[in-house]
PDB file of all heavy atoms in Angstrom:
ATOM      1  N   SER A   1       0.168  10.624   9.486  1.00 39.00           N
ATOM      2  CA  SER A   1       0.076   9.989  10.787  1.00 39.00           C
ATOM      3  C   SER A   1       0.461  10.981  11.871  1.00 39.00           C
ATOM      4  O   SER A   1       1.249  11.895  11.655  1.00 39.00           O
ATOM      5  CB  SER A   1       1.002   8.766  10.834  1.00 39.00           C
ATOM      6  OG  SER A   1       1.104   8.275  12.138  1.00 39.00           O
ATOM      7  N   SER A   2      -0.052  10.798  13.078  1.00 39.00           N
ATOM      8  CA  SER A   2       0.296  11.686  14.184  1.00 39.00           C
ATOM      9  C   SER A   2       1.684  11.406  14.725  1.00 39.00           C
ATOM     10  O   SER A   2       2.221  12.170  15.506  1.00 39.00           O
ATOM     11  CB  SER A   2      -0.735  11.517  15.318  1.00 39.00           C
ATOM     12  OG  SER A   2      -0.747  10.175  15.762  1.00 39.00           O
ATOM     13  N   THR A   3       2.261  10.278  14.310  1.00 40.00           N
ATOM     14  CA  THR A   3       3.604   9.933  14.780  1.00 40.00           C
ATOM     15  C   THR A   3       4.632  10.590  13.895  1.00 40.00           C
ATOM     16  O   THR A   3       4.622  10.402  12.682  1.00 40.00           O
ATOM     17  CB  THR A   3       3.814   8.405  14.747  1.00 40.00           C
ATOM     18  OG1 THR A   3       2.797   7.795  15.531  1.00 40.00           O
ATOM     19  CG2 THR A   3       5.196   8.057  15.287  1.00 40.00           C
ATOM     20  N   PRO A   4       5.554  11.404  14.426  1.00 40.00           N
ATOM     21  CA  PRO A   4       6.553  12.075  13.586  1.00 40.00           C
ATOM     22  C   PRO A   4       7.486  11.064  12.960  1.00 40.00           C
ATOM     23  O   PRO A   4       7.749  10.006  13.515  1.00 40.00           O
ATOM     24  CB  PRO A   4       7.287  12.979  14.581  1.00 40.00           C
ATOM     25  CG  PRO A   4       7.083  12.334  15.920  1.00 40.00           C
ATOM     26  CD  PRO A   4       5.717  11.706  15.855  1.00 40.00           C
ATOM     27  N   SER A   5       8.004  11.411  11.778  1.00 39.00           N
ATOM     28  CA  SER A   5       8.932  10.507  11.111  1.00 39.00           C
ATOM     29  C   SER A   5      10.279  10.554  11.800  1.00 39.00           C
ATOM     30  O   SER A   5      10.639  11.511  12.464  1.00 39.00           O
ATOM     31  CB  SER A   5       9.082  10.921   9.632  1.00 39.00           C
ATOM     32  OG  SER A   5       9.578  12.243   9.554  1.00 39.00           O
ATOM     33  N   GLU A   6      11.025   9.462  11.632  1.00 43.00           N
ATOM     34  CA  GLU A   6      12.356   9.387  12.219  1.00 43.00           C
ATOM     35  C   GLU A   6      13.279  10.367  11.502  1.00 43.00           C
ATOM     36  O   GLU A   6      13.134  10.620  10.300  1.00 43.00           O
ATOM     37  CB  GLU A   6      12.902   7.961  12.079  1.00 43.00           C
ATOM     38  CG  GLU A   6      12.124   6.943  12.895  1.00 43.00           C
ATOM     39  CD  GLU A   6      12.280   7.168  14.378  1.00 43.00           C
ATOM     40  OE1 GLU A   6      13.339   7.687  14.805  1.00 43.00           O
ATOM     41  OE2 GLU A   6      11.360   6.845  15.130  1.00 43.00           O
ATOM     42  N   PRO A   7      14.267  10.922  12.198  1.00 40.00           N
ATOM     43  CA  PRO A   7      15.209  11.831  11.548  1.00 40.00           C
ATOM     44  C   PRO A   7      15.888  11.149  10.378  1.00 40.00           C
ATOM     45  O   PRO A   7      16.410  10.050  10.514  1.00 40.00           O
ATOM     46  CB  PRO A   7      16.217  12.155  12.670  1.00 40.00           C
ATOM     47  CG  PRO A   7      15.465  11.896  13.940  1.00 40.00           C
ATOM     48  CD  PRO A   7      14.530  10.764  13.623  1.00 40.00           C
ATOM     49  N   GLY A   8      15.845  11.809   9.234  1.00 42.00           N
ATOM     50  CA  GLY A   8      16.508  11.276   8.051  1.00 42.00           C
ATOM     51  C   GLY A   8      15.710  10.214   7.348  1.00 42.00           C
ATOM     52  O   GLY A   8      16.118   9.697   6.324  1.00 42.00           O
ATOM     53  N   GLY A   9      14.553   9.819   7.901  1.00 41.00           N
ATOM     54  CA  GLY A   9      13.758   8.761   7.301  1.00 41.00           C
ATOM     55  C   GLY A   9      12.709   9.324   6.384  1.00 41.00           C
ATOM     56  O   GLY A   9      12.592  10.531   6.189  1.00 41.00           O
ATOM     57  N   PRO A  10      11.888   8.447   5.778  1.00 39.00           N
ATOM     58  CA  PRO A  10      10.845   8.892   4.872  1.00 39.00           C
ATOM     59  C   PRO A  10       9.860   9.798   5.586  1.00 39.00           C
ATOM     60  O   PRO A  10       9.560   9.617   6.764  1.00 39.00           O
ATOM     61  CB  PRO A  10      10.190   7.572   4.435  1.00 39.00           C
ATOM     62  CG  PRO A  10      11.235   6.545   4.674  1.00 39.00           C
ATOM     63  CD  PRO A  10      11.989   7.003   5.887  1.00 39.00           C
ATOM     64  N   SER A  11       9.344  10.779   4.875  1.00 39.00           N
ATOM     65  CA  SER A  11       8.401  11.716   5.462  1.00 39.00           C
ATOM     66  C   SER A  11       7.013  11.127   5.587  1.00 39.00           C
ATOM     67  O   SER A  11       6.166  11.666   6.271  1.00 39.00           O
ATOM     68  CB  SER A  11       8.342  12.988   4.613  1.00 39.00           C
ATOM     69  OG  SER A  11       7.944  12.675   3.294  1.00 39.00           O
ATOM     70  N   ALA A  12       6.776  10.023   4.917  1.00 38.00           N
ATOM     71  CA  ALA A  12       5.480   9.348   5.011  1.00 38.00           C
ATOM     72  C   ALA A  12       5.709   7.905   5.381  1.00 38.00           C
ATOM     73  O   ALA A  12       6.780   7.358   5.199  1.00 38.00           O
ATOM     74  CB  ALA A  12       4.742   9.427   3.668  1.00 38.00           C
ATOM     75  N   THR A  13       4.669   7.294   5.947  1.00 39.00           N
ATOM     76  CA  THR A  13       4.771   5.900   6.327  1.00 39.00           C
ATOM     77  C   THR A  13       5.099   5.065   5.100  1.00 39.00           C
ATOM     78  O   THR A  13       4.461   5.221   4.060  1.00 39.00           O
ATOM     79  CB  THR A  13       3.433   5.416   6.926  1.00 39.00           C
ATOM     80  OG1 THR A  13       3.109   6.259   8.014  1.00 39.00           O
ATOM     81  CG2 THR A  13       3.542   3.971   7.372  1.00 39.00           C
ATOM     82  N   PRO A  14       6.099   4.150   5.174  1.00 41.00           N
ATOM     83  CA  PRO A  14       6.439   3.336   4.012  1.00 41.00           C
ATOM     84  C   PRO A  14       5.213   2.623   3.494  1.00 41.00           C
ATOM     85  O   PRO A  14       4.443   2.043   4.252  1.00 41.00           O
ATOM     86  CB  PRO A  14       7.483   2.354   4.573  1.00 41.00           C
ATOM     87  CG  PRO A  14       8.076   3.078   5.726  1.00 41.00           C
ATOM     88  CD  PRO A  14       6.941   3.876   6.317  1.00 41.00           C
ATOM     89  N   GLY A  15       5.040   2.597   2.179  1.00 43.00           N
ATOM     90  CA  GLY A  15       3.918   1.907   1.586  1.00 43.00           C
ATOM     91  C   GLY A  15       2.682   2.757   1.492  1.00 43.00           C
ATOM     92  O   GLY A  15       1.694   2.344   0.909  1.00 43.00           O
ATOM     93  N   ARG A  16       2.699   3.974   2.063  1.00 45.00           N
ATOM     94  CA  ARG A  16       1.513   4.832   2.050  1.00 45.00           C
ATOM     95  C   ARG A  16       1.419   5.574   0.736  1.00 45.00           C
ATOM     96  O   ARG A  16       2.367   6.204   0.302  1.00 45.00           O
ATOM     97  CB  ARG A  16       1.572   5.816   3.212  1.00 45.00           C
ATOM     98  CG  ARG A  16       0.484   6.891   3.137  1.00 45.00           C
ATOM     99  CD  ARG A  16       0.425   7.691   4.406  1.00 45.00           C
ATOM    100  NE  ARG A  16       0.018   6.856   5.512  1.00 45.00           N
ATOM    101  CZ  ARG A  16       0.006   7.286   6.765  1.00 45.00           C
ATOM    102  NH1 ARG A  16       0.392   8.502   7.065  1.00 45.00           N
ATOM    103  NH2 ARG A  16      -0.372   6.470   7.737  1.00 45.00           N
ATOM    104  N   ALA A  17       0.270   5.509   0.077  1.00 51.00           N
ATOM    105  CA  ALA A  17       0.059   6.257  -1.142  1.00 51.00           C
ATOM    106  C   ALA A  17      -0.130   7.716  -0.787  1.00 51.00           C
ATOM    107  O   ALA A  17      -0.863   8.054   0.127  1.00 51.00           O
ATOM    108  CB  ALA A  17      -1.173   5.715  -1.862  1.00 51.00           C
ATOM    109  N   ARG A  18       0.524   8.617  -1.511  1.00 59.00           N
ATOM    110  CA  ARG A  18       0.502  10.026  -1.152  1.00 59.00           C
ATOM    111  C   ARG A  18      -0.583  10.803  -1.882  1.00 59.00           C
ATOM    112  O   ARG A  18      -0.962  11.879  -1.474  1.00 59.00           O
ATOM    113  CB  ARG A  18       1.863  10.646  -1.451  1.00 59.00           C
ATOM    114  CG  ARG A  18       2.969  10.085  -0.569  1.00 59.00           C
ATOM    115  CD  ARG A  18       4.270  10.779  -0.863  1.00 59.00           C
ATOM    116  NE  ARG A  18       5.312  10.324   0.066  1.00 59.00           N
ATOM    117  CZ  ARG A  18       6.538  10.773   0.051  1.00 59.00           C
ATOM    118  NH1 ARG A  18       6.912  11.690  -0.823  1.00 59.00           N
ATOM    119  NH2 ARG A  18       7.428  10.330   0.907  1.00 59.00           N
ATOM    120  N   GLY A  19      -1.053  10.336  -2.996  1.00 61.00           N
ATOM    121  CA  GLY A  19      -2.067  11.082  -3.706  1.00 61.00           C
ATOM    122  C   GLY A  19      -2.257  10.525  -5.099  1.00 61.00           C
ATOM    123  O   GLY A  19      -1.454   9.780  -5.600  1.00 61.00           O
ATOM    124  N   GLY A  20      -3.365  10.914  -5.722  1.00 68.00           N
ATOM    125  CA  GLY A  20      -3.652  10.450  -7.061  1.00 68.00           C
ATOM    126  C   GLY A  20      -4.728   9.388  -7.046  1.00 68.00           C
ATOM    127  O   GLY A  20      -5.278   9.049  -6.003  1.00 68.00           O
ATOM    128  N   SER A  21      -5.049   8.873  -8.215  1.00 83.00           N
ATOM    129  CA  SER A  21      -6.089   7.863  -8.354  1.00 83.00           C
ATOM    130  C   SER A  21      -5.494   6.609  -8.956  1.00 83.00           C
ATOM    131  O   SER A  21      -4.887   6.655 -10.025  1.00 83.00           O
ATOM    132  CB  SER A  21      -7.223   8.393  -9.237  1.00 83.00           C
ATOM    133  OG  SER A  21      -8.254   7.444  -9.355  1.00 83.00           O
ATOM    134  N   VAL A  22      -5.625   5.499  -8.266  1.00 87.00           N
ATOM    135  CA  VAL A  22      -5.086   4.219  -8.708  1.00 87.00           C
ATOM    136  C   VAL A  22      -6.215   3.200  -8.710  1.00 87.00           C
ATOM    137  O   VAL A  22      -6.933   3.047  -7.720  1.00 87.00           O
ATOM    138  CB  VAL A  22      -3.953   3.736  -7.775  1.00 87.00           C
ATOM    139  CG1 VAL A  22      -3.443   2.381  -8.232  1.00 87.00           C
ATOM    140  CG2 VAL A  22      -2.823   4.747  -7.739  1.00 87.00           C
ATOM    141  N   ARG A  23      -6.404   2.500  -9.815  1.00 92.00           N
ATOM    142  CA  ARG A  23      -7.437   1.471  -9.917  1.00 92.00           C
ATOM    143  C   ARG A  23      -7.041   0.287  -9.040  1.00 92.00           C
ATOM    144  O   ARG A  23      -5.963  -0.277  -9.212  1.00 92.00           O
ATOM    145  CB  ARG A  23      -7.592   1.043 -11.369  1.00 92.00           C
ATOM    146  CG  ARG A  23      -8.803   0.151 -11.635  1.00 92.00           C
ATOM    147  CD  ARG A  23      -8.955  -0.071 -13.135  1.00 92.00           C
ATOM    148  NE  ARG A  23     -10.091  -0.920 -13.447  1.00 92.00           N
ATOM    149  CZ  ARG A  23     -11.344  -0.497 -13.523  1.00 92.00           C
ATOM    150  NH1 ARG A  23     -11.602   0.791 -13.312  1.00 92.00           N
ATOM    151  NH2 ARG A  23     -12.324  -1.322 -13.814  1.00 92.00           N
ATOM    152  N   SER A  24      -7.909  -0.087  -8.116  1.00 95.00           N
ATOM    153  CA  SER A  24      -7.551  -1.114  -7.142  1.00 95.00           C
ATOM    154  C   SER A  24      -8.756  -1.971  -6.809  1.00 95.00           C
ATOM    155  O   SER A  24      -9.895  -1.680  -7.195  1.00 95.00           O
ATOM    156  CB  SER A  24      -7.015  -0.460  -5.859  1.00 95.00           C
ATOM    157  OG  SER A  24      -8.018   0.344  -5.269  1.00 95.00           O
ATOM    158  N   GLU A  25      -8.497  -3.062  -6.071  1.00 96.00           N
ATOM    159  CA  GLU A  25      -9.565  -3.923  -5.586  1.00 96.00           C
ATOM    160  C   GLU A  25      -9.171  -4.509  -4.243  1.00 96.00           C
ATOM    161  O   GLU A  25      -7.986  -4.646  -3.928  1.00 96.00           O
ATOM    162  CB  GLU A  25      -9.860  -5.054  -6.578  1.00 96.00           C
ATOM    163  CG  GLU A  25      -8.704  -6.024  -6.780  1.00 96.00           C
ATOM    164  CD  GLU A  25      -9.076  -7.202  -7.654  1.00 96.00           C
ATOM    165  OE1 GLU A  25     -10.284  -7.519  -7.727  1.00 96.00           O
ATOM    166  OE2 GLU A  25      -8.177  -7.808  -8.261  1.00 96.00           O
ATOM    167  N   ILE A  26     -10.172  -4.821  -3.429  1.00 96.00           N
ATOM    168  CA  ILE A  26      -9.958  -5.484  -2.146  1.00 96.00           C
ATOM    169  C   ILE A  26     -10.309  -6.959  -2.323  1.00 96.00           C
ATOM    170  O   ILE A  26     -11.415  -7.293  -2.756  1.00 96.00           O
ATOM    171  CB  ILE A  26     -10.827  -4.850  -1.047  1.00 96.00           C
ATOM    172  CG1 ILE A  26     -10.448  -3.375  -0.852  1.00 96.00           C
ATOM    173  CG2 ILE A  26     -10.667  -5.612   0.268  1.00 96.00           C
ATOM    174  CD1 ILE A  26     -11.337  -2.642   0.129  1.00 96.00           C
ATOM    175  N   ARG A  27      -9.371  -7.843  -1.995  1.00 95.00           N
ATOM    176  CA  ARG A  27      -9.576  -9.276  -2.183  1.00 95.00           C
ATOM    177  C   ARG A  27      -8.686 -10.052  -1.224  1.00 95.00           C
ATOM    178  O   ARG A  27      -7.899  -9.470  -0.473  1.00 95.00           O
ATOM    179  CB  ARG A  27      -9.271  -9.675  -3.628  1.00 95.00           C
ATOM    180  CG  ARG A  27      -7.854  -9.355  -4.060  1.00 95.00           C
ATOM    181  CD  ARG A  27      -7.491 -10.111  -5.314  1.00 95.00           C
ATOM    182  NE  ARG A  27      -6.227  -9.706  -5.877  1.00 95.00           N
ATOM    183  CZ  ARG A  27      -5.037 -10.042  -5.381  1.00 95.00           C
ATOM    184  NH1 ARG A  27      -4.961 -10.767  -4.282  1.00 95.00           N
ATOM    185  NH2 ARG A  27      -3.916  -9.643  -5.978  1.00 95.00           N
ATOM    186  N   GLN A  28      -8.818 -11.367  -1.260  1.00 94.00           N
ATOM    187  CA  GLN A  28      -7.978 -12.244  -0.468  1.00 94.00           C
ATOM    188  C   GLN A  28      -6.563 -12.232  -1.021  1.00 94.00           C
ATOM    189  O   GLN A  28      -6.352 -12.257  -2.237  1.00 94.00           O
ATOM    190  CB  GLN A  28      -8.518 -13.678  -0.496  1.00 94.00           C
ATOM    191  CG  GLN A  28      -7.675 -14.704   0.251  1.00 94.00           C
ATOM    192  CD  GLN A  28      -7.643 -14.456   1.747  1.00 94.00           C
ATOM    193  OE1 GLN A  28      -8.605 -13.942   2.299  1.00 94.00           O
ATOM    194  NE2 GLN A  28      -6.545 -14.806   2.391  1.00 94.00           N
ATOM    195  N   GLY A  29      -5.547 -12.156  -0.147  1.00 94.00           N
ATOM    196  CA  GLY A  29      -4.164 -12.165  -0.590  1.00 94.00           C
ATOM    197  C   GLY A  29      -3.778 -13.488  -1.234  1.00 94.00           C
ATOM    198  O   GLY A  29      -4.360 -14.542  -0.949  1.00 94.00           O
ATOM    199  N   LYS A  30      -2.789 -13.455  -2.103  1.00 92.00           N
ATOM    200  CA  LYS A  30      -2.359 -14.662  -2.800  1.00 92.00           C
ATOM    201  C   LYS A  30      -1.493 -15.564  -1.927  1.00 92.00           C
ATOM    202  O   LYS A  30      -1.337 -16.747  -2.203  1.00 92.00           O
ATOM    203  CB  LYS A  30      -1.597 -14.272  -4.075  1.00 92.00           C
ATOM    204  CG  LYS A  30      -2.491 -13.623  -5.118  1.00 92.00           C
ATOM    205  CD  LYS A  30      -1.745 -13.351  -6.411  1.00 92.00           C
ATOM    206  CE  LYS A  30      -2.683 -12.765  -7.461  1.00 92.00           C
ATOM    207  NZ  LYS A  30      -1.985 -12.477  -8.745  1.00 92.00           N
ATOM    208  N   THR A  31      -0.902 -14.996  -0.859  1.00 89.00           N
ATOM    209  CA  THR A  31      -0.145 -15.804   0.096  1.00 89.00           C
ATOM    210  C   THR A  31      -1.097 -16.379   1.130  1.00 89.00           C
ATOM    211  O   THR A  31      -1.950 -15.661   1.650  1.00 89.00           O
ATOM    212  CB  THR A  31       0.932 -14.953   0.790  1.00 89.00           C
ATOM    213  OG1 THR A  31       1.788 -14.379  -0.203  1.00 89.00           O
ATOM    214  CG2 THR A  31       1.752 -15.790   1.756  1.00 89.00           C
ATOM    215  N   ALA A  32      -0.938 -17.656   1.445  1.00 85.00           N
ATOM    216  CA  ALA A  32      -1.906 -18.346   2.290  1.00 85.00           C
ATOM    217  C   ALA A  32      -2.077 -17.705   3.662  1.00 85.00           C
ATOM    218  O   ALA A  32      -3.165 -17.722   4.233  1.00 85.00           O
ATOM    219  CB  ALA A  32      -1.489 -19.813   2.441  1.00 85.00           C
ATOM    220  N   THR A  33      -1.021 -17.136   4.218  1.00 89.00           N
ATOM    221  CA  THR A  33      -1.080 -16.593   5.582  1.00 89.00           C
ATOM    222  C   THR A  33      -1.432 -15.111   5.621  1.00 89.00           C
ATOM    223  O   THR A  33      -1.361 -14.483   6.669  1.00 89.00           O
ATOM    224  CB  THR A  33       0.273 -16.812   6.289  1.00 89.00           C
ATOM    225  OG1 THR A  33       1.315 -16.226   5.498  1.00 89.00           O
ATOM    226  CG2 THR A  33       0.552 -18.299   6.471  1.00 89.00           C
ATOM    227  N   VAL A  34      -1.797 -14.546   4.479  1.00 91.00           N
ATOM    228  CA  VAL A  34      -2.201 -13.140   4.410  1.00 91.00           C
ATOM    229  C   VAL A  34      -3.713 -13.064   4.220  1.00 91.00           C
ATOM    230  O   VAL A  34      -4.284 -13.831   3.455  1.00 91.00           O
ATOM    231  CB  VAL A  34      -1.493 -12.419   3.236  1.00 91.00           C
ATOM    232  CG1 VAL A  34      -2.035 -11.012   3.049  1.00 91.00           C
ATOM    233  CG2 VAL A  34       0.005 -12.366   3.498  1.00 91.00           C
ATOM    234  N   GLY A  35      -4.359 -12.138   4.918  1.00 90.00           N
ATOM    235  CA  GLY A  35      -5.805 -11.993   4.810  1.00 90.00           C
ATOM    236  C   GLY A  35      -6.197 -11.095   3.650  1.00 90.00           C
ATOM    237  O   GLY A  35      -5.719 -11.245   2.530  1.00 90.00           O
ATOM    238  N   GLN A  36      -7.071 -10.126   3.931  1.00 94.00           N
ATOM    239  CA  GLN A  36      -7.534  -9.201   2.911  1.00 94.00           C
ATOM    240  C   GLN A  36      -6.415  -8.240   2.505  1.00 94.00           C
ATOM    241  O   GLN A  36      -5.632  -7.788   3.342  1.00 94.00           O
ATOM    242  CB  GLN A  36      -8.728  -8.392   3.430  1.00 94.00           C
ATOM    243  CG  GLN A  36      -9.985  -9.229   3.644  1.00 94.00           C
ATOM    244  CD  GLN A  36     -10.650  -9.589   2.314  1.00 94.00           C
ATOM    245  OE1 GLN A  36     -11.082  -8.716   1.580  1.00 94.00           O
ATOM    246  NE2 GLN A  36     -10.737 -10.879   2.029  1.00 94.00           N
ATOM    247  N   VAL A  37      -6.352  -7.922   1.215  1.00 96.00           N
ATOM    248  CA  VAL A  37      -5.345  -7.007   0.696  1.00 96.00           C
ATOM    249  C   VAL A  37      -6.017  -5.979  -0.211  1.00 96.00           C
ATOM    250  O   VAL A  37      -7.122  -6.192  -0.705  1.00 96.00           O
ATOM    251  CB  VAL A  37      -4.243  -7.750  -0.108  1.00 96.00           C
ATOM    252  CG1 VAL A  37      -3.578  -8.806   0.734  1.00 96.00           C
ATOM    253  CG2 VAL A  37      -4.818  -8.366  -1.383  1.00 96.00           C
ATOM    254  N   VAL A  38      -5.332  -4.854  -0.393  1.00 96.00           N
ATOM    255  CA  VAL A  38      -5.682  -3.901  -1.445  1.00 96.00           C
ATOM    256  C   VAL A  38      -4.716  -4.168  -2.590  1.00 96.00           C
ATOM    257  O   VAL A  38      -3.500  -4.066  -2.427  1.00 96.00           O
ATOM    258  CB  VAL A  38      -5.553  -2.442  -0.969  1.00 96.00           C
ATOM    259  CG1 VAL A  38      -5.848  -1.483  -2.113  1.00 96.00           C
ATOM    260  CG2 VAL A  38      -6.494  -2.176   0.195  1.00 96.00           C
ATOM    261  N   ALA A  39      -5.243  -4.560  -3.753  1.00 96.00           N
ATOM    262  CA  ALA A  39      -4.415  -4.955  -4.889  1.00 96.00           C
ATOM    263  C   ALA A  39      -4.542  -3.941  -6.016  1.00 96.00           C
ATOM    264  O   ALA A  39      -5.634  -3.461  -6.313  1.00 96.00           O
ATOM    265  CB  ALA A  39      -4.813  -6.343  -5.380  1.00 96.00           C
ATOM    266  N   PHE A  40      -3.402  -3.603  -6.624  1.00 96.00           N
ATOM    267  CA  PHE A  40      -3.393  -2.693  -7.760  1.00 96.00           C
ATOM    268  C   PHE A  40      -2.127  -2.954  -8.556  1.00 96.00           C
ATOM    269  O   PHE A  40      -1.297  -3.772  -8.177  1.00 96.00           O
ATOM    270  CB  PHE A  40      -3.454  -1.224  -7.301  1.00 96.00           C
ATOM    271  CG  PHE A  40      -2.344  -0.825  -6.369  1.00 96.00           C
ATOM    272  CD1 PHE A  40      -1.186  -0.243  -6.850  1.00 96.00           C
ATOM    273  CD2 PHE A  40      -2.459  -1.053  -5.001  1.00 96.00           C
ATOM    274  CE1 PHE A  40      -0.160   0.118  -5.984  1.00 96.00           C
ATOM    275  CE2 PHE A  40      -1.441  -0.692  -4.128  1.00 96.00           C
ATOM    276  CZ  PHE A  40      -0.292  -0.105  -4.631  1.00 96.00           C
ATOM    277  N   LYS A  41      -1.973  -2.273  -9.689  1.00 95.00           N
ATOM    278  CA  LYS A  41      -0.820  -2.478 -10.560  1.00 95.00           C
ATOM    279  C   LYS A  41      -0.053  -1.181 -10.755  1.00 95.00           C
ATOM    280  O   LYS A  41      -0.633  -0.102 -10.771  1.00 95.00           O
ATOM    281  CB  LYS A  41      -1.266  -3.025 -11.916  1.00 95.00           C
ATOM    282  CG  LYS A  41      -1.851  -4.427 -11.837  1.00 95.00           C
ATOM    283  CD  LYS A  41      -2.235  -4.953 -13.211  1.00 95.00           C
ATOM    284  CE  LYS A  41      -2.792  -6.384 -13.110  1.00 95.00           C
ATOM    285  NZ  LYS A  41      -3.173  -6.902 -14.443  1.00 95.00           N
ATOM    286  N   ASP A  42       1.283  -1.315 -10.916  1.00 94.00           N
ATOM    287  CA  ASP A  42       2.101  -0.145 -11.204  1.00 94.00           C
ATOM    288  C   ASP A  42       2.129   0.077 -12.721  1.00 94.00           C
ATOM    289  O   ASP A  42       1.522  -0.697 -13.467  1.00 94.00           O
ATOM    290  CB  ASP A  42       3.501  -0.298 -10.590  1.00 94.00           C
ATOM    291  CG  ASP A  42       4.398  -1.265 -11.343  1.00 94.00           C
ATOM    292  OD1 ASP A  42       3.944  -1.868 -12.334  1.00 94.00           O
ATOM    293  OD2 ASP A  42       5.563  -1.437 -10.935  1.00 94.00           O
ATOM    294  N   PRO A  43       2.786   1.130 -13.204  1.00 93.00           N
ATOM    295  CA  PRO A  43       2.731   1.452 -14.635  1.00 93.00           C
ATOM    296  C   PRO A  43       3.229   0.363 -15.573  1.00 93.00           C
ATOM    297  O   PRO A  43       2.884   0.367 -16.745  1.00 93.00           O
ATOM    298  CB  PRO A  43       3.599   2.709 -14.744  1.00 93.00           C
ATOM    299  CG  PRO A  43       3.460   3.376 -13.427  1.00 93.00           C
ATOM    300  CD  PRO A  43       3.428   2.242 -12.444  1.00 93.00           C
ATOM    301  N   LYS A  44       4.051  -0.584 -15.110  1.00 92.00           N
ATOM    302  CA  LYS A  44       4.510  -1.649 -15.991  1.00 92.00           C
ATOM    303  C   LYS A  44       3.675  -2.912 -15.869  1.00 92.00           C
ATOM    304  O   LYS A  44       4.000  -3.937 -16.473  1.00 92.00           O
ATOM    305  CB  LYS A  44       5.980  -1.964 -15.739  1.00 92.00           C
ATOM    306  CG  LYS A  44       6.300  -2.439 -14.361  1.00 92.00           C
ATOM    307  CD  LYS A  44       7.775  -2.786 -14.256  1.00 92.00           C
ATOM    308  CE  LYS A  44       8.233  -2.961 -12.834  1.00 92.00           C
ATOM    309  NZ  LYS A  44       7.289  -3.611 -11.942  1.00 92.00           N
TER     310      LYS A  44
END
């Protein structure tokens, strides 16, 4: 992002994937008040 990180904070935007390939899908969120989501699974 063009916005610098806060001092002492994470170097990347929280929740941002930094690299690699993850199997995912775009679908409606499971919570009623959430719209479209990117869904994927972690190693467990």
Side-chain angles (χ1 to χ4, degrees):
S1 170
S2 59
T3 303
S5 60
E6 294 293 331
S11 59
T13 304
R16 171 170 295 174
R18 294 183 175 181
S21 181
V22 178
R23 190 173 180 82
S24 62
E25 64 174 336
I26 298 175
R27 59 164 172 75
Q28 177 66 31
K30 292 185 177 180
T31 303
T33 56
V34 173
Q36 292 285 298
V37 303
V38 177
F40 57 94
K41 294 182 179 180
D42 75 358
K44 61 177 167 38

